[in-house]
């Protein structure tokens, strides 16, 4: 098979601020696999979880020397390919994993969710994200989301560098706006909170009663992730007995190994393809989490519709979908991931079911981007 990379930029309509900083645009990579005249595409890009950082440049530098070495491989030989991709970082592996899954699905003429036997009737609505900011700015962002789609599941970023008082004010303002929406339209909204590791254990414990009082349905990653697995587990273990709402690990949970380590101390995990290294590990994690009685959240970074369309293949297994990044892009080059109201639709096309621009599809193979 032949493989190559293309770089492209994704620009947010509204920059997103979280506890670690602000993102307004990113550079991502398109991974293309061609075999027997059929092409598969994957998307990847850099990410930062506080304790781990991968730049898009570093991911490209990993993939560029490997791709020519795969000339003798076939996208059908998943098991034979596994050890050859095992040394890659999770986001580098993700790009190739998605292109290979896309190729296989196209080869068999079916979307991946159908090949996996998943139930298209089991999909939940996606949440939309409110970043950090002043209460006025965050309420304006919420109003803008509601102009775009009738969102019923709202995810609020907390863990502000400005401290707990700011977090309390933001939470109260957003909860009041949701109550007003319910009174005005009859539409009840769910509120989730993601602190992105911005709280200490003491701060998290102090916030729990307020989260409960405002009816928050889910708390994601309150404490900073630790590189040492024992320290990381200890934070969740200390908080979980006191947490009256579902506690979900995001930055702390990258792999099946992390899931098994954290399972006794959380109520759910947030799977993201850039952390898991693609759909192979993500499917294993989603099925294992459900078997263990944990809720599955499915999230994104500043990703385009190719990455989110790949993640959407898992939607029937997901209790809390959180795939809204492509809805906040002004230059997403991909199409095929549609929404009805606030519910993402399973892509209907074979493979990942996502279209790339015609000019990219027709690019001669010898022209490297
Ligand atoms: Mg999160």
């Amino acid at each position: 098979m032949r493989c190559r990379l293309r770089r492209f930029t994704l620009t947010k309509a509204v920059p997103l601020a979280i506890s670690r900083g602000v993102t307004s645009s990113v550079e991502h990579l398109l991974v293309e696999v061609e075999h027997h005249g059929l092409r598969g595409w994957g998307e990847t890009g850099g990410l930062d979880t506080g304790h781990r950082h991968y730049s898009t440049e570093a991911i490209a530098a990993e993939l560029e020397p490997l791709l020519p070495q795969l000339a003798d491989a076939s996208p059908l030989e998943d098991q034979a390919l596994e050890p050859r991709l095992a040394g890659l970082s999770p986001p580098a592996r993700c790009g190739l994993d998605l292109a290979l899954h896309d190729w296989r699905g196209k080869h068999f003429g079916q979307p991946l969710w159908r090949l996996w036997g998943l139930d298209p009737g089991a999909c939940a609505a996606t949440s939309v994200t409110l970043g950090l900011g002043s209460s006025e700015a965050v309420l304006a962002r919420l109003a803008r989301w509601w102009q775009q789609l009738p969102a019923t599941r709202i995810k609020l970023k907390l863990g502000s560098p400005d401290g707990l008082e700011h977090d309390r004010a933001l939470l109260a303002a957003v909860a009041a706006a949701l109550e007003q929406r319910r009174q005005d339209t009859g539409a009840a909204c769910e509120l989730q909170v993601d602190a992105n590791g911005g709280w200490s254990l003491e701060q998290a414990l102090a916030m729990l009663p307020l989260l409960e009082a405002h009816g928050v349905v889910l708390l994601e990653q309150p404490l900073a992730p630790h590189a040492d697995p024992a320290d990381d587990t200890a934070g969740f273990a200390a908080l979980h007995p006191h947490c009256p709402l579902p506690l979900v690990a995001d930055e702390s949970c990258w792999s099946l190994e992390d899931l098994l380590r954290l399972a006794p101390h959380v109520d759910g995990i947030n799977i993201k393809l850039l952390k898991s290294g693609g759909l192979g590990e993500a499917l294993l994690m989603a099925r294992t989490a459900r078997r263990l009685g944990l809720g599955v959240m499915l999230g994104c970074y500043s990703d385009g519709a190719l990455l989110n369309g790949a993640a959407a293949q898992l939607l029937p297994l997901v209790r809390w979908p959180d795939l809204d990044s492509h809805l906040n892009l002004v230059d997403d080059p991909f199409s095929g991931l549609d929404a009805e109201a606030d519910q993402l639709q399973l892509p209907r096309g074979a493979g990942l079911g996502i279209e790339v621009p015609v000019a990219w599809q027709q690019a001669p193979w010898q022209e490297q981007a």
Side-chain angles (χ1 to χ4, degrees):
M1 64 187 189
R2 298 189 293 181
C3 311
R4 64 180 172 184
L5 293 182
R6 174 186 291 271
R7 290 165 169 79
F8 61 98
T9 301
L10 297 172
T11 310
K12 289 185 184 298
V14 180
L16 178 66
I18 68 167
S19 65
R20 287 188 294 274
V22 183
T23 306
S24 53
S25 75
V26 295
E27 186 178 53
H28 269 201
L29 299 170
L30 184 81
V31 181
E32 182 176 359
V33 166
E34 190 273 343
H35 189 61
H36 292 170
L38 202 57
R39 295 186 185 192
W41 285 284
E43 178 187 350
T44 187
L47 73 155
D48 185 349
T49 54
H51 67 323
R52 290 180 198 152
H53 173 78
Y54 299 95
S55 72
T56 298
E57 267 318 298
I59 295 164
E62 278 186 81
L63 289 172
E64 273 158 357
L66 173 69
L67 298 183
Q69 298 173 25
L70 301 177
D72 63 337
S74 160
L76 286 173
E77 296 165 352
D78 188 39
Q79 192 170 3
L81 276 164
E82 196 177 306
R84 301 175 74 173
L85 310 190
L88 293 172
S89 68
R93 199 164 66 247
C94 174
L96 255 177
D97 171 280
L98 298 192
L100 293 167
H101 272 95
D102 190 35
W103 191 96
R104 284 179 212 130
K106 287 170 174 165
H107 176 75
F108 292 114
Q110 293 290 336
L112 292 166
W113 58 266
R114 198 186 299 281
L115 290 175
W116 294 333
L118 302 184
D119 174 7
C123 300
T126 188
S127 51
V128 298
T129 302
L130 304 175
L132 286 169
S134 68
S135 293
E136 297 72 29
V138 172
L139 293 178
R141 181 68 185 100
L142 178 57
R144 182 175 170 137
W145 273 125
W146 278 335
Q147 286 171 1
Q148 187 176 351
L149 75 169
T152 57
R153 300 185 49 244
I154 310 298
K155 167 165 152 170
L156 174 64
K157 297 286 194 181
L158 293 181
S160 168
D162 296 332
L164 282 196
E165 278 314 306
H166 186 80
D167 281 354
R168 289 191 182 101
L170 263 187
L171 178 61
V174 171
L178 299 190
E179 174 56 22
Q180 189 65 51
R181 170 95 166 173
R182 190 187 65 77
Q183 290 181 18
D184 292 346
T185 69
C189 292
E190 280 190 358
L191 179 58
Q192 307 176 12
V193 163
D194 183 1
N196 286 114
W199 290 338
S200 66
L201 178 61
E202 293 67 30
Q203 288 175 317
L205 289 168
M207 287 296 288
L208 291 178
L210 196 61
L211 298 176
E212 187 179 26
H214 282 300
V216 174
V217 300
L218 164 68
L219 173 60
E220 205 183 323
Q221 194 75 35
L223 310 179
H226 284 270
D228 182 304
D231 289 345
D232 191 72
T233 308
F236 284 96
L239 189 60
H240 191 236
H242 307 284
C243 194
L245 60 161
L247 179 62
V248 173
D250 177 3
E251 286 88 338
S252 291
C253 188
W254 289 56
S255 62
L256 181 67
E257 188 181 10
D258 290 331
L259 159 60
L260 296 175
R261 167 175 66 81
L262 292 167
H265 312 294
V266 297
D267 302 292
I269 56 160
N270 189 346
I271 297 172
K272 296 175 181 172
L273 299 182
L274 290 179
K275 288 186 301 176
S276 70
L279 277 168
E281 181 88 357
L283 179 63
L284 194 61
M285 291 172 73
R287 285 189 156 147
T288 305
R290 288 166 61 94
R291 183 67 66 88
L292 295 174
L294 298 178
V296 176
M297 189 170 178
L298 185 64
C300 54
Y301 291 97
S302 299
D303 305 331
L306 181 54
L307 252 166
N308 284 353
Q313 305 294 324
L314 298 166
L315 277 174
L317 300 174
V318 175
R319 181 172 168 195
W320 302 295
D322 182 29
L323 295 176
D324 62 335
S325 59
H326 67 291
L327 299 172
N328 184 33
L329 294 174
V330 298
D331 51 5
D332 190 354
F334 307 112
S335 58
L337 179 57
D338 300 322
E340 278 182 21
D342 58 349
Q343 184 145 348
L344 295 178
Q345 304 297 293
L346 289 174
R348 291 277 153 187
L352 301 178
I354 301 299
E355 295 296 326
V356 308
V358 171
W360 296 3
Q361 295 178 40
Q362 294 172 341
W365 197 264
Q366 61 272 23
E367 278 183 22
Q368 294 289 319

